[in-house]
């Protein structure tokens, strides 16, 4: 757990800083040896991961090699930016959603929010969430890129990802065996009614009553062989998390904070953040941010400065390290971003500043860091990535092929580091 003794200047041009990845590596080794138990990866991102465009590929990479541990934390209320691929959310509009609002630059406290920055509550008694395993989601843009790449051998190859290790259902997702709910009181006890359809098409049901005594509570259901789950809430508790998992493999959660700063998670009451993280117990927490922060810094919105940004990051990561000291934290650093200035797309200093702060803070706090700027070959590389269809014409967001490309590179670096750790 000792931080890298080298000064920041000696590592600032490294593609990957290991940081505390040895904790995650130890869990991967245990899973590989024992072939049981679930490793939880929790990925937070801004609009770069819109529509699961990057995160679904990282999920598939992990599950191909280490097994399908489940779809992790689910949204109770879905819309296009947060929709998960390889999954079917059949919930109708039965829940109100609480989230961090836009323009929360002063980071006020949001008392209703759970540990991920979101929480849900039934509008009325009997609110029901319906979640199901779905066939693997395809994407036309990826297919088009693969076809075009055959005539452009200098473009990076993006191959299909095969089924998870020991997959019973190929690429269509393994059956769930466990449902976890992380709840807070809505002012009265709650009765939970869970129905699930197993692999034979048979339906089974369970009920539990939850009496709250303060803080959040984790409620678990055994749902062997479930392909579809219905959860009905009698009462109106706050639902901070709902996760579905198997018996073994990597459980992958994608949390989209579109248009927000990552440090606005500091608006979640610290006790609720600690309670939720300790109930869910992630093994690896990944943060991909920087676009919104650099734009805020560029325009100095509400007096936002580099010093404020750095202080907020240190507070957030420090709070997480306190809440789940056994977890690894990885920062996916931003690639260069170009803004339209004087009629053409150009780099701007604020984005460089945000990137440098992120990497320095990661080094100082012994966090892992993958440098997207170096990976995309700096400013000139972004222009090339746009011409290849990996970055959108806004010179900011990845396309679906670009999301796959970044995910594969991040995954390969993590696995290379894992193998190096095993050798050591």
């Amino acid at each position: 757990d000792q931080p890298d003794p080298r000064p920041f200047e000696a590592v600032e041009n490294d593609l990957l800083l290991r940081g505390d990845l040895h904790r995650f590596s130890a869990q991967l080794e245990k899973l590989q040896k024992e072939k049981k138990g679930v490793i939880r990866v929790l990925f937070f991102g801004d609009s770069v991961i819109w529509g699961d465009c990057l995160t679904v590929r990282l999920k598939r990479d992990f599950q191909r090699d280490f097994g399908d541990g489940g779809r992790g934390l689910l949204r109770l209320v879905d819309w296009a930016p947060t929709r998960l691929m390889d999954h079917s959310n059949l919930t109708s509009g039965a829940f109100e959603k609480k989230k961090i609002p836009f323009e929360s630059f002063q980071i006020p406290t949001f008392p209703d929010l759970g540990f991920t920055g979101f929480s849900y509550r039934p509008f009325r008694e009997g609110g029901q969430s319906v979640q199901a395993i779905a066939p693997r989601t395809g994407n036309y843009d990826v297919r088009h890129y693969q076809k075009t790449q055959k005539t452009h051998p200098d473009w990076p190859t993006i191959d299909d990802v095969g089924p998870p290790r020991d997959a019973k259902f190929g690429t269509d997702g393994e059956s769930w065996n466990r449902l976890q709910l992380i709840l807070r009181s809505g002012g009265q006890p709650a009765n939970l009614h869970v129905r699930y359809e197993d692999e034979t098409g048979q339906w089974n049901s369970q009920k539990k009553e939850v009496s709250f005594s303060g803080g959040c509570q984790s409620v678990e259901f055994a749902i062997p062989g479930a392909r579809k789950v219905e959860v009905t809430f009698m009462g109106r508790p706050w639902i901070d998390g709902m996760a579905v998992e198997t018996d073994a493999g990597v459980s992958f959660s994608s949390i989209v904070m579109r248009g927000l700063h990552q440090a606005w998670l500091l608006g979640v009451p610290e006790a609720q953040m600690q309670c939720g993280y300790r109930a869910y117990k992630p093994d690896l927490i990944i943060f991909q941010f920087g676009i919104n922060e650099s734009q805020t810094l560029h325009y100095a919105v509400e007096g936002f400065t580099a010093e404020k940004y750095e202080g907020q990051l240190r507070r957030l990561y420090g709070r997480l390290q306190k809440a789940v000291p056994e977890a690894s934290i990885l920062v996916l650093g931003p690639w260069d971003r170009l803004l339209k200035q004087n009629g053409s797309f150009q780099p701007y200093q604020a984005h460089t500043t945000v990137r440098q702060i992120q990497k320095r803070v990661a080094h100082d706090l012994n966090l892992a860091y993958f440098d997207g700027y170096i990976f995309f070959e700096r400013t000139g590389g972004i222009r090339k990535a746009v011409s290849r269809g990996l970055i959108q014409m806004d010179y900011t967001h990845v396309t679906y092929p670009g999301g796959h490309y970044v995910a594969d590179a991040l995954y390969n670096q993590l696995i290379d580091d894992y193998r190096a750790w095993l050798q050591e």
Side-chain angles (χ1 to χ4, degrees):
D1 273 304
Q2 294 299 315
D4 193 323
R6 294 173 295 171
F8 177 68
E9 292 73 20
V11 300
E12 61 181 331
N13 291 316
D14 289 358
L15 178 60
L16 180 73
L17 307 184
R18 173 181 285 181
D20 56 14
L21 278 178
H22 60 281
R23 301 173 190 165
F24 182 61
S25 293
Q27 295 304 313
L28 286 178
E29 182 188 30
K30 181 179 179 182
L31 176 61
Q32 279 199 311
K33 286 182 176 179
E34 300 180 359
K35 293 184 170 53
K36 64 180 181 180
V38 170
I39 290 177
R40 298 181 181 94
V41 177
L42 182 53
F43 193 120
F44 289 87
D46 56 26
S47 56
V48 165
I49 64 169
W50 187 96
D52 216 11
C53 67
L54 187 158
T55 41
V56 71
R57 179 72 169 203
L58 192 57
K59 173 194 80 77
R60 291 173 183 173
D61 285 339
F62 269 117
Q63 293 184 348
R64 174 197 60 211
D65 295 339
F66 295 94
D68 179 356
R71 204 56 184 93
L73 291 165
L74 305 175
R75 298 277 191 174
L76 272 72
V77 180
D78 245 349
W79 66 306
T82 63
R83 194 163 296 137
L84 296 177
M85 300 176 76
D86 303 351
H87 181 78
S88 182
N89 185 341
L90 304 173
T91 307
S92 60
F95 299 87
E96 63 174 304
K97 176 177 68 174
K98 296 291 184 179
K99 64 180 287 292
I100 298 170
F102 291 108
E103 301 182 353
S104 299
F105 299 104
Q106 304 307 318
I107 316 184
T109 299
F110 306 107
D112 293 335
L113 295 186
F115 69 108
T116 65
F118 294 85
S119 195
Y120 306 87
R121 191 183 190 194
F123 281 117
R124 59 190 63 87
E125 288 215 3
Q128 185 181 78
S129 178
V130 183
Q131 310 284 342
I133 293 170
R136 174 169 289 193
T137 311
N139 185 269
Y140 169 79
D141 292 339
V142 175
R143 293 291 180 218
H144 178 72
Y145 178 90
Q146 290 172 329
K147 183 178 179 180
T148 306
Q149 190 272 335
K150 292 179 180 178
T151 60
H152 294 77
D154 57 320
W155 290 18
T157 302
I158 300 175
D159 294 323
D160 292 332
V161 174
R165 185 203 69 216
D166 302 326
K168 182 177 181 181
F169 294 92
T171 62
D172 286 353
E174 298 305 289
S175 299
W176 302 323
N177 293 312
R178 176 176 173 270
L179 167 70
Q180 180 185 20
L181 294 159
I182 300 173
L183 308 174
R184 285 180 291 116
S185 174
Q188 59 185 358
N191 286 291
L192 310 179
H193 185 193
V194 173
R195 295 180 70 238
Y196 63 95
E197 183 181 27
D198 66 20
E199 295 167 1
T200 69
Q202 297 295 310
W203 283 88
N204 301 279
S205 65
Q206 301 177 44
K207 293 182 179 180
K208 288 187 180 182
E209 181 176 353
V210 183
S211 296
F212 297 94
S213 57
C216 69
Q217 294 197 32
S218 176
V219 184
E220 298 185 12
F221 291 86
I223 49 169
R227 307 294 292 175
K228 185 176 183 179
V229 176
E230 299 175 351
V231 185
T232 304
F233 298 87
M234 302 306 295
R236 299 185 62 218
W238 289 109
I239 306 156
D240 291 346
M242 182 169 76
V244 284
E245 295 180 344
T246 71
D247 286 333
V250 173
S251 172
F252 194 99
S253 304
S254 177
I255 309 294
V256 182
M257 291 171 55
R258 183 169 175 256
L260 307 183
H261 292 200
Q262 71 179 102
W264 291 356
L265 284 166
L266 287 165
V268 177
E270 186 169 5
Q272 286 167 205
M273 181 179 281
Q274 281 194 4
C275 190
Y277 271 101
R278 290 172 181 175
Y280 186 61
K281 300 177 182 177
D283 297 287
L284 175 64
I285 308 167
I286 303 175
F287 288 98
Q288 169 279 308
F289 287 89
I291 293 172
N292 305 306
E293 290 88 341
S294 67
Q295 185 157 315
T296 300
L297 183 60
H298 179 69
Y299 293 108
V301 179
E302 295 196 18
F304 192 65
T305 64
E307 291 73 23
K308 283 187 177 181
Y309 176 56
E310 181 170 343
Q312 290 169 359
L313 280 189
R314 291 181 184 274
R315 285 173 55 207
L316 174 63
Y317 294 142
R319 185 179 291 186
L320 287 173
Q321 288 175 320
K322 179 181 177 183
V324 275
E326 66 280 4
S328 296
I329 299 174
L330 182 143
V331 179
L332 171 52
W335 39 90
D336 206 6
R337 184 198 188 194
L338 308 187
L339 281 181
K340 198 164 190 178
Q341 304 174 81
N342 300 319
S344 63
F345 282 95
Q346 300 294 332
Y348 60 108
Q349 180 57 43
H351 197 67
T352 301
T353 300
V354 163
R355 186 183 72 248
Q356 291 171 339
I357 288 173
Q358 284 191 7
K359 195 166 190 176
R360 184 170 60 249
V361 169
H363 171 265
D364 291 351
L365 299 183
N366 199 34
L367 311 182
Y369 186 92
F370 178 86
D371 198 321
Y373 178 70
I374 293 175
F375 170 68
F376 267 115
E377 301 175 20
R378 299 172 166 81
T379 301
I382 287 297
R383 299 187 191 278
K384 184 167 63 176
V386 170
S387 69
R388 292 174 170 179
L390 299 172
I391 298 289
Q392 296 182 34
M393 295 298 292
D394 62 3
Y395 289 84
T396 301
H397 297 88
V398 290
T399 60
Y400 268 92
H404 285 24
Y405 178 53
V406 174
D408 284 349
L410 173 59
Y411 180 76
N412 290 335
Q413 282 293 310
L414 290 173
I415 296 306
D416 286 348
D417 187 76
Y418 169 57
R419 290 171 179 153
W421 176 84
L422 288 175
Q423 292 284 336
E424 295 164 8

